[in-house]
Amino acid sequence: MELIKNTMPTEPAKILSHFNVPKNSYTFKAITNGLINDTYLVIVTNKPAYVLQRINNNVFKNIAGVMQNIEQTLPLLNSDLYSSIHVIKTKKNTSYHKEQGFWRVLSYINNSTTYNTSTDKNIAFEAGKIISEFHALLSPINATTYQDTIPDFHNLIYRNNQFFDALEKAKKERTTAAKDAIEFAEELLPDLLDFCFTELPIRVCHNDTKLNNILFSKNTNKALCLIDLDTLMKGYFYYDFGDAVRTIANTAPEDEKDLSKITFNKELFSSFVDGLSTNKNLLSKDEIASLPLGAVFMPFIHGLRALTDYLQNDAYYKVAYPNQNLDRCVSLFNFSKKALDNVDYMNAILKKKFS
């Protein structure tokens, strides 16, 4: 979700020339909905052929670790239900090229698309199904062999300490404007901090399973695979569950100002869990029990990070207008509260679907 942007080099063809791709007359089209990396479609004869990306090393400090995690994962993400993506090596047989930043090239899946939001129950089902398949394919892996590409990414103790440090140093006008959000954070933090200490299996997680990080077929609307794998690292299943729920059961944008538009859509949630439960033996009983609070936890921790950055005068996230970080925070907290109000409902659906 980090919004630090780089600028495109004047000669993208020069960057591409360092990779093992056939010589051709390529053109380049920017993909503007990405929030971390700079991403470009590499086009030949009017058709996308590759994805060229500059990895944001302001966010990902260990580029070699990012690519190591991805390279050890992609060969395993291949089944009848899961479409493969490949890293295109450089002419020096490396996974990235350093020039005006750190660059990689990935294969492109034809006739694919993404959705920022959707009211389609089939999209919700397919999202659950592909996340389930992703975890089923990676379940044999020892997650402790993965490097932490963003240390403490979902560590609420760390984010809690950041928040209170920012609160202590914040300008009065910002603490006044954020008064209600601060009170909500202080009220919910103790319960969620206790929740974080539950003993759960450590898995290889995507760690950023918002809906637009899932690739769908344009022809059939079937989910094909997960993309944006830079945050591949160890974690708990409720991370991926909660991040998906906050963008599937809620169809409003992350910084929606009209809180009446932020909803917990039970039909979309149920369809998502239907898809997730296609691998009924994937999760332990303790993991299943953790999921409803995971749906509270993930929007909350994203909201807390936005609030912290607001109190720090927008030092981390890029903002389009002065209070955007506060709007993000309020919107995310609002969905977190709605998820909290639906914990019993989520428990009942999960118990039914996974029985």
Side-chain angles (χ1 to χ4, degrees):
M1 196 167 106
E2 282 67 17
L3 305 182
I4 306 166
K5 290 291 283 182
N6 297 309
T7 56
M8 182 63 182
T10 55
E11 299 181 50
K14 182 173 181 289
I15 300 293
L16 190 64
S17 70
H18 293 280
F19 290 85
N20 282 319
V21 299
K23 288 186 177 181
N24 220 316
S25 296
Y26 295 107
T27 57
F28 301 84
K29 179 182 178 181
I31 299 176
T32 58
N33 64 345
L35 300 180
I36 300 178
N37 301 321
D38 291 330
T39 304
Y40 304 85
L41 285 182
V42 181
I43 299 169
V44 59
T45 60
N46 296 320
K47 292 183 179 180
Y50 304 101
V51 177
L52 172 68
Q53 288 186 312
R54 175 157 50 183
I55 310 167
N56 193 327
N57 61 303
N58 292 317
V59 173
F60 300 103
K61 308 293 186 183
N62 180 5
I63 303 297
V66 168
M67 295 309 299
Q68 178 182 316
N69 286 355
I70 291 173
E71 284 196 285
Q72 76 180 84
T73 302
L74 287 181
L76 301 172
L77 293 175
N78 183 20
S79 73
D80 292 340
L81 300 176
Y82 201 100
S83 299
S84 297
I85 293 175
H86 307 287
V87 173
I88 309 300
K89 292 294 187 73
T90 69
K91 291 177 179 176
K92 295 181 179 180
N93 199 36
T94 58
S95 59
Y96 62 91
H97 172 69
K98 185 178 180 182
E99 181 178 344
Q100 294 180 292
F102 297 83
W103 294 89
R104 67 175 169 223
V105 175
L106 303 170
S107 60
Y108 177 81
I109 297 180
N110 290 322
N111 296 314
S112 60
T113 190
T114 59
Y115 301 99
N116 289 323
T117 61
S118 177
T119 59
D120 187 336
K121 290 189 291 184
N122 182 64
I123 294 294
F125 173 85
E126 286 291 323
K129 186 176 179 181
I130 204 69
I131 290 172
S132 177
E133 184 68 5
F134 172 90
H135 275 274
L137 292 171
L138 297 185
S139 59
I141 296 181
N142 179 0
T144 61
T145 65
Y146 278 63
Q147 299 190 44
D148 287 336
T149 55
I150 302 180
D152 295 310
F153 191 38
H154 296 322
N155 183 341
L156 189 57
I157 297 173
Y158 174 74
R159 299 300 182 187
N160 172 76
N161 293 339
Q162 278 188 323
F163 165 63
F164 280 106
D165 182 64
L167 184 59
E168 183 179 338
K169 298 173 182 176
K171 295 178 180 178
K172 185 177 181 180
E173 58 265 31
R174 295 231 164 186
T175 58
T176 300
K179 179 177 178 292
D180 290 344
I182 291 167
E183 289 179 356
F184 180 79
E186 291 178 331
E187 179 183 348
L188 198 54
L189 269 165
D191 289 338
L192 289 181
L193 284 166
D194 286 344
F195 165 67
C196 293
F197 288 104
T198 54
E199 293 293 328
L200 296 170
I202 296 174
R203 294 179 176 270
V204 178
C205 291
H206 183 284
N207 286 295
D208 192 18
T209 48
K210 55 190 178 183
L211 183 60
N212 64 10
N213 276 339
I214 299 173
L215 212 56
F216 291 83
S217 167
K218 285 183 179 179
N219 300 326
T220 66
N221 264 345
K222 296 291 186 185
L224 301 173
C225 63
L226 274 66
I227 56 174
D228 286 355
L229 302 177
D230 296 319
T231 51
L232 272 172
M233 51 187 164
K234 61 181 178 289
Y236 300 115
F237 189 86
Y238 71 80
Y239 292 170
D240 284 357
F241 178 85
D243 242 354
V245 169
R246 77 179 178 89
T247 54
I248 292 172
N250 174 31
T251 59
E254 193 174 67
D255 57 355
E256 177 59 61
K257 296 180 185 180
D258 184 351
L259 300 184
S260 68
K261 294 181 180 179
I262 300 170
T263 60
F264 185 96
N265 187 305
K266 291 184 176 181
E267 287 188 345
L268 292 174
F269 176 85
S270 181
S271 294
F272 171 69
V273 176
D274 273 338
L276 201 67
S277 64
T278 52
N279 285 303
K280 287 189 181 293
N281 297 323
L282 176 65
L283 303 175
S284 69
K285 289 183 179 180
D286 286 342
E287 285 179 300
I288 294 169
S290 76
L291 298 184
L293 277 177
V296 178
F297 175 93
M298 289 307 296
F300 178 83
I301 197 169
H302 284 297
L304 188 67
R305 291 169 61 199
L307 176 58
T308 299
D309 196 41
Y310 176 77
L311 296 173
Q312 294 173 330
N313 304 310
D314 309 312
Y316 192 66
Y317 296 118
K318 182 189 287 186
V319 293
Y321 56 89
N323 281 348
Q324 189 175 18
N325 262 326
L326 183 56
D327 288 341
R328 285 186 186 121
C329 162
V330 172
S331 173
L332 286 158
F333 279 0
N334 189 273
F335 182 75
S336 189
K337 184 178 186 307
K338 287 181 169 67
L340 187 60
D341 292 340
N342 282 281
V343 164
D344 289 343
Y345 166 78
M346 286 189 277
N347 270 319
I349 292 294
L350 287 159
K351 184 177 180 180
K352 177 182 176 182
K353 305 294 185 183
F354 279 92
S355 62

